[in-house]
Amino acid sequence: MKTVAAIDHELRRSHVQISYTRHKVESASLQLEQKALRILLLRRRRRKLGNILAYVEKLQGLADLERTVDDKLAQGDLSGATADAVRAVRLVRREPFVSLKCTTGLRERLAQVLPAVHGEVDDALYMMCKEGFDDGVYSSVLRSYLVLDLETRFAAERFAEGFSAAVALPRHGVGHFAATIERFFLTLVGESAKEAFGRHCDRDRADTANLMLEQLVEAVQPQVLRLVLFDCAAAFCELMHTHYSITQWHRDAFSPRNAESDYLHRCAINEGDKHKRLELFDDDDELSDELSEDELSEDELSEDE
């Protein structure tokens, strides 16, 4: 039989082993908790880093879109630049760009991008009225006005309060497009007359640029007045032809054939059926009868064939 001392020694040794084991278990548990917390921390950091990368990609896309607007304006793609500018303005009004402090400068720049694009569109329209009608330029200008008009209505409906202070939009769109064209033509009439008189007056070219039309008229000699009137008439005819081309373009808007000069200069009598064409000559019975006979003869020939 074991003595009391041996039993006490075994109990002490067992107590030491249990204490050591408990310490090892607590240490392992602490290490597991630390690793688990580290994993959670790494996951949280990874999630935050993913959000930051997503924000950076969105910022990069917005900055690229801003550069694209400038590039398309430089290339003359007015409608494409307007569409991209509208996209950029809509993006910058959303999260996370609204709450990010680093986007303050970008938001301030994009707040003026639509007025800047609208100014470029107006300049292109003015130069077209001055230099002559161009189907590509006019189609792009009109599409740009349509996009700007839709964006103005969209902004008025969804951002009725506080939006006008954040992003400045042109207050006139397609509804004032015709008035804008007429204003440009009236301005060009005055400029054409001023250039014609300034070309034949006795003063230097540098001086004539600062003179009013009335002063230029007084500076012209009577013997060259005929030349001045001829130049004015030629300039006015060019402006009238451009205005006529614009009117003809709207008879078949956005048609690919509007790039053809013959199609733009077609007459109303060349379109529609014979009954509509005969209505143009209701006041002239003789001409109406001749046209009717021509139409009937054409029908008879087609039937014979």
Side-chain angles (χ1 to χ4, degrees):
M1 295 182 62
K2 293 183 179 180
T3 61
V4 176
I7 294 173
D8 184 64
H9 176 73
E10 290 181 358
L11 288 174
R12 289 179 182 275
R13 188 174 61 180
S14 299
H15 178 71
V16 172
Q17 291 178 351
I18 291 173
S19 299
Y20 178 75
T21 303
R22 185 182 294 114
H23 174 72
K24 294 292 289 184
V25 170
E26 291 176 355
S27 177
S29 177
L30 181 61
Q31 290 179 0
L32 288 175
E33 290 177 358
Q34 290 177 349
K35 290 182 178 180
L37 291 175
R38 185 181 179 184
I39 291 173
L40 292 176
L41 182 60
L42 289 175
R43 287 180 178 177
R44 184 179 299 176
R45 288 181 178 177
R46 183 178 298 175
R47 190 181 303 113
K48 289 184 178 180
L49 182 60
N51 293 334
I52 292 174
L53 290 177
Y55 292 163
V56 171
E57 289 179 358
K58 290 181 179 180
L59 285 172
Q60 185 65 40
L62 196 57
D64 292 341
L65 198 59
E66 184 183 13
R67 287 193 294 269
T68 302
V69 172
D70 296 335
D71 293 340
K72 289 186 177 181
L73 285 177
Q75 296 171 4
D77 186 6
L78 300 176
S79 58
T82 305
D84 288 342
V86 169
R87 285 178 54 202
V89 169
R90 290 187 178 182
L91 285 175
V92 82
R93 293 198 302 256
R94 301 174 182 173
E95 293 292 344
F97 305 113
V98 177
S99 57
L100 290 177
K101 294 182 179 179
C102 62
T103 60
T104 302
L106 184 62
R107 282 186 278 116
E108 290 177 354
R109 292 197 308 272
L110 290 178
Q112 303 300 324
V113 68
L114 283 183
V117 170
H118 189 269
E120 293 289 338
V121 172
D122 279 348
D123 291 343
L125 179 61
Y126 180 83
M127 292 305 298
M128 189 210 69
C129 293
K130 182 178 181 180
E131 298 176 357
F133 180 80
D134 184 89
D135 172 62
V137 174
Y138 189 74
S139 299
S140 184
V141 166
L142 190 53
R143 287 191 176 95
S144 301
Y145 264 90
L146 290 171
V147 173
L148 289 172
D149 191 60
L150 290 175
E151 176 61 15
T152 304
R153 296 181 184 181
F154 173 80
E157 292 175 359
R158 296 196 56 185
F159 302 92
E161 297 180 359
F163 173 72
S164 58
V167 178
L169 279 176
R171 295 300 178 186
H172 53 281
V174 178
H176 294 76
F177 184 66
T180 302
I181 293 179
E182 296 301 329
R183 176 167 53 86
F184 286 164
F185 274 112
L186 290 176
T187 302
L188 288 171
V189 167
E191 290 184 357
S192 300
K194 186 176 178 180
E195 290 179 2
F197 278 94
R199 194 179 300 115
H200 296 281
C201 69
D202 295 334
R203 303 193 181 186
D204 295 333
R205 302 284 290 182
D207 297 335
T208 58
N210 300 323
L211 295 178
M212 301 295 292
L213 181 59
E214 293 79 3
Q215 297 172 329
L216 291 174
V217 172
E218 295 176 355
V220 171
Q221 297 297 326
Q223 57 269 21
V224 298
L225 184 59
R226 178 175 58 84
L227 299 177
V228 174
L229 295 178
F230 179 82
D231 290 346
C232 288
F236 295 162
C237 285
E238 290 291 336
L239 293 176
M240 290 175 63
H241 179 260
T242 302
H243 192 278
Y244 170 78
S245 299
I246 293 174
T247 305
Q248 290 288 94
W249 186 93
H250 280 278
R251 292 176 59 190
D252 191 7
F254 298 108
S255 173
R257 297 190 62 188
N258 283 328
E260 304 174 6
S261 178
D262 294 340
Y263 189 70
L264 275 183
H265 292 80
R266 68 194 183 282
C267 297
I269 193 174
N270 297 329
E271 295 183 346
D273 55 27
K274 60 182 180 181
H275 300 291
K276 292 182 179 179
R277 295 201 297 270
L278 291 177
E279 291 176 359
L280 299 173
F281 303 96
D282 287 340
D283 296 334
D284 194 336
D285 296 335
E286 183 178 354
L287 184 57
S288 179
D289 294 338
E290 292 179 359
L291 289 174
S292 300
E293 293 177 358
D294 293 339
E295 295 287 351
L296 290 174
S297 60
E298 291 179 1
D299 294 341
E300 291 176 355
L301 288 174
S302 61
E303 290 178 359
D304 293 340
E305 292 178 356

